[in-house]
């Protein structure tokens, strides 16, 4: 028995099918959703973590699940205008739990506070400065334009809650008391604070590129911050550019036998130098030094009370990266200059000093070339998320015969390269 399907029947079926399909979202939204469909993928733009960055991110319909392995926190970000997933339980704001917090937040970010220099640098890269509405009262940056921005914004305080929060110890040695610290965001109706460490605060987000274990993993924290702004597409583009340039610079690096070491002199406020310490670079810097065609000094951290013992320990170094602090007589500290370095390491006309490879090659550096009058250095800011520029500095150091003085962050001390002091008046855009 035959039958006919009319045009109107086909049209009706098509309409019903369209109504039963989830609404399509072609890009991550910059504002709140006007409706909710449980089957809709609200985040078609996604990021992928490729390196040892220290965080993981997964997506499911209207939520992003970010695990910060460094701070031990989980952030569940749901598209604003849509509900929190049923299976998510946020750690209560009054919880006595220390660590392992689950924090639930609606995105995208529109009004945040800053207490993280790397987050500040990333926000600028994402062109999201307008979202910054406050900062912690002691927070300082090197970026001229961010200095100008923050100068006109409120400063938030940290508050201390109950001292009865207990810290769990894995060694079964018992519990120790820990004070709860949080940011007071109530006055300005702020969403959360980007900070640098895990906190028992439901409205804080730890940003930790300094703890990534490889160079490009540091740059992936651009993806981390971007997820809070629904700017994954921008983050992927920025990261791809950094990754491509990094690998290009790596290919051009010389193959040298230079050894790079980190050290500091230890001076007390009255000017007395009490010892000299060899420090060990973090794993990401070891990798960067290797990618620049050099090798990092290996060994344990060691302190010497006799400068000649120190000279013997560093006698094989071709490059010295200084990490000293120059104390002021009445408290505080300042950035050491070449005169301070010479005095601190007792450099003089001694034959032992003159035989040190890094001294003969004028290869003594500090990472404070870009600094602000607020005692901030760009080492803690842009350097932490721009490993391509950092590698470029290291390659220049590797190639130099008498000290590199065309670097971005590493200041050559024997050549008396001046600190580039940055203030808000330097903002051009």
């Amino acid at each position: 028995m035959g039958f006919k399907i009319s045009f109107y029947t086909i049209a009706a079926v098509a309409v019903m099918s369209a109504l039963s399909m989830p609404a399509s979202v072609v890009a991550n939204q910059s504002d709140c959703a006007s409706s909710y469909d449980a089957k809709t993928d609200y985040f078609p733009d996604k990021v992928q973590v490729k390196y040892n960055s220290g965080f993981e991110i997964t997506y499911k319909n209207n939520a992003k699940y970010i695990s910060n392995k460094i701070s031990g926190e989980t952030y569940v970000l749901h598209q604003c205008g849509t509900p929190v997933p049923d299976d998510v339980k946020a750690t209560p704001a009054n919880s006595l739990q220390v660590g392992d917090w689950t924090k639930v937040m609606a995105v995208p970010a529109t009004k945040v506070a800053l207490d993280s220099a790397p987050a500040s640098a990333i926000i600028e890269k994402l062109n999201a400065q307008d979202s910054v509405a406050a900062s912690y009262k002691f927070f300082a940056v090197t970026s001229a334009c961010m200095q100008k921005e923050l100068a006109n914004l409120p400063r938030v305080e940290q508050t201390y809650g109950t001292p009865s929060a207990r810290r769990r110890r894995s060694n079964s040695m018992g519990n120790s008391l820990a004070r709860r610290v949080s940011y007071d965001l109530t006055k300005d109706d702020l969403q959360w604070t980007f900070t640098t460490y895990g906190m028992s605060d439901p409205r804080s987000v730890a940003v930790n590129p300094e703890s990534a274990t490889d160079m490009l993993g540091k740059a992936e924290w651009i993806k981390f911050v971007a997820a809070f702004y629904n700017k994954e597409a921008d983050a992927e583009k920025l990261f791809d550019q950094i990754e491509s340039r990094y690998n290009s610079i790596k290919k051009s690096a010389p193959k040298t036998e230079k050894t790079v070491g980190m050290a500091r002199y230890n001076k007390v406020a009255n000017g007395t130098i009490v010892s000299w310490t060899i420090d060990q670079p973090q794993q990401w810097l070891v990798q960067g030094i290797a990618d620049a065609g050099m090798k990092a000094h290996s060994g344990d951290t060691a302190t010497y009370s006799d400068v000649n013992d120190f000279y013997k320990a560093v006698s094989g170094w071709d490059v010295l990266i200084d990490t000293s602090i120059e104390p002021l007589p009445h408290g505080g500290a300042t950035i050491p200059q070449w005169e301070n370095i010479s005095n601190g390491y007792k450099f003089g006309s001694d034959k032992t000093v003159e035989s040190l490879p890094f001294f003969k090659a004028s290869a003594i550096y500090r990472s404070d070339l870009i600094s602000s009058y607020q005692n901030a250095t760009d080492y803690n800011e842009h350097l932490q998320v721009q490993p391509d520029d950092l590698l470029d500095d290291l390659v220049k150091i590797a190639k130099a015969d008498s000290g590199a003085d065309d670097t971005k962050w590493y200041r050559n001390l024997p050549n008396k390269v001046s600190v580039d002091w940055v203030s808000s008046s330097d903002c051009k855009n």
Side-chain angles (χ1 to χ4, degrees):
M1 180 177 177
F3 60 92
K4 295 181 180 180
I5 301 178
S6 72
F7 167 79
Y8 298 103
T9 303
I10 295 174
V13 171
V15 170
M16 292 301 294
S17 297
L19 290 173
S20 65
M21 290 175 62
S24 62
V25 177
V26 297
N28 294 2
Q29 295 177 245
S30 60
D31 53 11
C32 292
S34 58
S35 61
Y36 173 65
D37 188 304
K39 296 180 180 179
T40 295
D41 179 1
Y42 285 87
F43 306 115
D45 298 326
K46 298 174 173 60
V47 293
Q48 180 182 1
V49 179
K50 299 167 61 177
Y51 297 91
N52 295 320
S53 58
F55 72 92
E56 297 175 351
I57 180 168
T58 57
Y59 296 81
K60 185 178 179 182
N61 297 336
N62 70 319
K64 314 172 191 184
Y65 299 78
I66 304 178
S67 174
N68 185 331
K69 302 297 184 181
I70 297 164
S71 69
E73 298 176 334
T74 298
Y75 312 102
V76 180
L77 313 181
H78 65 100
Q79 173 63 41
C80 68
T82 71
V84 176
D86 293 336
D87 60 345
V88 173
K89 291 185 179 179
T91 304
N94 61 352
S95 173
L96 301 184
Q97 174 180 319
V98 177
D100 301 321
W101 274 52
T102 296
K103 305 179 181 185
V104 178
M105 301 165 177
V107 293
T110 57
K111 198 174 183 182
V112 302
L114 274 183
D115 190 18
S116 163
S120 175
I122 294 169
I123 287 169
E124 284 190 294
K125 280 190 164 294
L126 294 171
N127 196 27
Q129 299 95 312
D130 288 348
S131 69
V132 178
S135 66
Y136 177 50
K137 67 176 182 178
F138 297 124
F139 179 62
V141 293
T142 55
S143 165
C145 292
M146 188 59 81
Q147 287 183 46
K148 186 176 182 179
E149 182 92 5
L150 297 179
N152 299 313
L153 295 175
R155 294 280 184 167
V156 298
E157 302 274 349
Q158 283 186 342
T159 60
Y160 295 87
T162 171
S164 62
R166 296 181 182 272
R167 184 182 302 278
R168 297 190 303 276
R169 288 183 175 178
S170 58
N171 59 9
S172 302
M173 292 180 62
N175 296 321
S176 62
L177 295 178
R179 300 182 74 183
R180 282 195 60 217
V181 183
S182 61
Y183 293 94
D184 182 6
L185 306 182
T186 55
K187 293 180 181 178
D188 300 291
D189 193 29
L190 300 164
Q191 291 171 288
W192 57 77
T193 303
F194 285 115
T195 184
T196 55
Y197 47 90
M199 298 175 64
S200 300
D201 179 354
R203 296 167 66 189
S204 69
V205 177
V207 183
N208 304 113
E210 75 288 344
S211 297
T213 55
D214 61 39
M215 291 280 277
L216 287 169
K218 296 168 71 61
E220 287 200 301
W221 285 84
I222 295 172
K223 302 176 183 179
F224 176 94
V225 174
F228 290 81
Y229 286 89
N230 286 355
K231 284 181 170 282
E232 280 91 338
D234 293 338
E236 283 289 340
K237 184 177 179 180
L238 284 167
F239 178 81
D240 288 348
Q241 292 171 349
I242 291 172
E243 181 184 42
S244 176
R245 184 167 180 263
Y246 185 96
N247 290 329
S248 176
I249 295 170
K250 180 180 176 180
K251 288 179 181 178
S252 71
K255 299 302 178 184
T256 75
E257 296 298 323
K258 290 183 177 181
T259 297
V260 180
M262 300 178 69
R264 54 189 158 92
Y265 59 85
N266 303 306
K267 182 186 287 188
V268 294
N270 68 4
T272 304
I273 300 161
V274 295
S275 61
W276 297 263
T277 299
I278 293 176
D279 292 316
Q280 297 306 313
Q282 290 177 270
Q283 187 173 339
W284 55 264
L285 185 53
V286 172
Q287 183 197 47
I289 290 169
D291 287 348
M294 302 182 288
K295 61 181 179 180
H297 167 79
S298 60
D300 296 329
T301 298
T303 298
Y304 303 87
S305 57
D306 188 310
V307 73
N308 290 303
D309 292 335
F310 171 75
Y311 290 159
K312 186 181 296 184
V314 302
S315 61
W317 293 8
D318 301 283
V319 178
L320 185 152
I321 297 177
D322 175 67
T323 58
S324 305
I325 295 174
E326 185 66 23
L328 296 171
H330 302 291
T334 187
I335 291 176
Q337 303 298 333
W338 175 238
E339 292 74 16
N340 306 120
I341 296 294
S342 295
N343 175 262
Y345 289 109
K346 297 189 179 299
F347 292 154
S349 57
D350 186 277
K351 289 183 178 179
T352 302
V353 172
E354 292 175 352
S355 69
L356 296 172
F358 60 81
F359 185 84
K360 289 194 295 183
S362 297
I364 304 171
Y365 300 89
R366 288 180 56 85
S367 58
D368 56 11
L369 180 54
I370 303 176
S371 297
S372 78
Y373 293 105
Q374 302 167 321
N375 293 323
T377 71
D378 214 36
Y379 178 90
N380 297 316
E381 200 168 328
H382 293 88
L383 179 146
Q384 293 297 330
V385 293
Q386 294 178 214
D388 53 336
D389 284 345
L390 174 55
L391 182 62
D392 191 47
D393 266 15
L394 294 172
V395 168
K396 288 175 179 176
I397 290 172
K399 291 180 176 179
D401 294 323
S402 57
D405 55 11
D406 58 346
T407 48
K408 181 173 183 176
W409 286 303
Y410 282 99
R411 177 170 62 102
N412 185 281
L413 289 146
N415 293 346
K416 298 185 178 180
V417 174
S418 300
V419 174
D420 181 9
W421 294 104
V422 183
S423 70
S424 58
S425 64
D426 297 312
C427 178
K428 305 302 180 186
N429 184 5

